[in-house]
Amino acid sequence: MAAVVAATALSGCYVVPMQPIGQATPPAQAIAVMPAGPIAQTFAARLYPSNAEAAPYGTVAGVVTNDMNGRGHFSAVIGGEQFQGEATRVAGSQRGGIANASGARGGILSCRYTMNSPTLGTGSCVLNSGPAFTMHIGD
C-alpha cells in the first residue's frame, strides 16, 4: 500500500531541463570602455644631493604621477622616511610646478620644478631639516 501511495504522490512530478541537451550557452560579449578623461602618466624622479647635509642620503628615487589635469601625486623615500604629497602646476604656467610632501616621521619636502618637455623636467627640493637636492623628472 505504501508503494502505491508513493507512486501516486510522485506521478505528478517530472523533471524539465532548463537548457535543451546539446545546446551551448552563447559566450558573453566583451564591451570596450573608454576612460572618462585623460589617462594619468607616471614618471621617475631622481633627487641628487646638492649640499653637504644631503650627501649622506645619496641619490633618492621618487615617483611623480601626473593626472593630466594640472596636478598629480609625488612620493619618495629619504633616509628611510616615506614622503607622500602633491604636485601642481604654477598658476598661469604651462611648465612650472610645485611639489610638496610630508613624511611619516614629520619631515617636509618642498620642490619647485620646470617641465622642459611633456615627459622631462628639472628642479630642486629641500627638506625642512636642511638637505637640498637637484631633481630630474622622466627617463
Side-chain angles (χ1 to χ4, degrees):
M1 180 72 152
V4 173
V5 173
T8 306
L10 295 176
S11 64
C13 297
Y14 55 94
V15 177
V16 177
M18 296 298 288
Q19 181 176 5
I21 297 172
Q23 290 187 349
T25 305
Q29 296 290 324
I31 299 173
V33 177
M34 295 301 292
I39 297 172
Q41 290 183 307
T42 299
F43 303 101
R46 292 169 311 284
L47 283 67
Y48 298 98
S50 62
N51 67 7
E53 290 90 350
Y57 298 112
T59 301
V60 174
V63 175
V64 178
T65 301
N66 181 350
D67 70 3
M68 307 307 285
N69 289 316
R71 47 178 277 160
H73 303 281
F74 174 60
S75 65
V77 177
I78 301 174
E81 184 174 9
Q82 176 69 46
F83 289 84
Q84 297 281 339
E86 288 187 85
T88 56
R89 293 291 171 98
V90 173
S93 174
Q94 292 295 319
R95 298 176 10 160
I98 298 172
N100 293 302
S102 59
R105 296 188 300 226
I108 298 171
L109 180 63
S110 299
C111 305
R112 295 185 83 58
Y113 63 91
T114 300
M115 295 303 291
N116 303 316
S117 76
T119 59
L120 297 172
T122 58
S124 60
C125 298
V126 178
L127 279 171
N128 61 323
S129 58
F133 300 87
T134 300
M135 178 171 62
H136 294 266
I137 301 170
D139 294 321

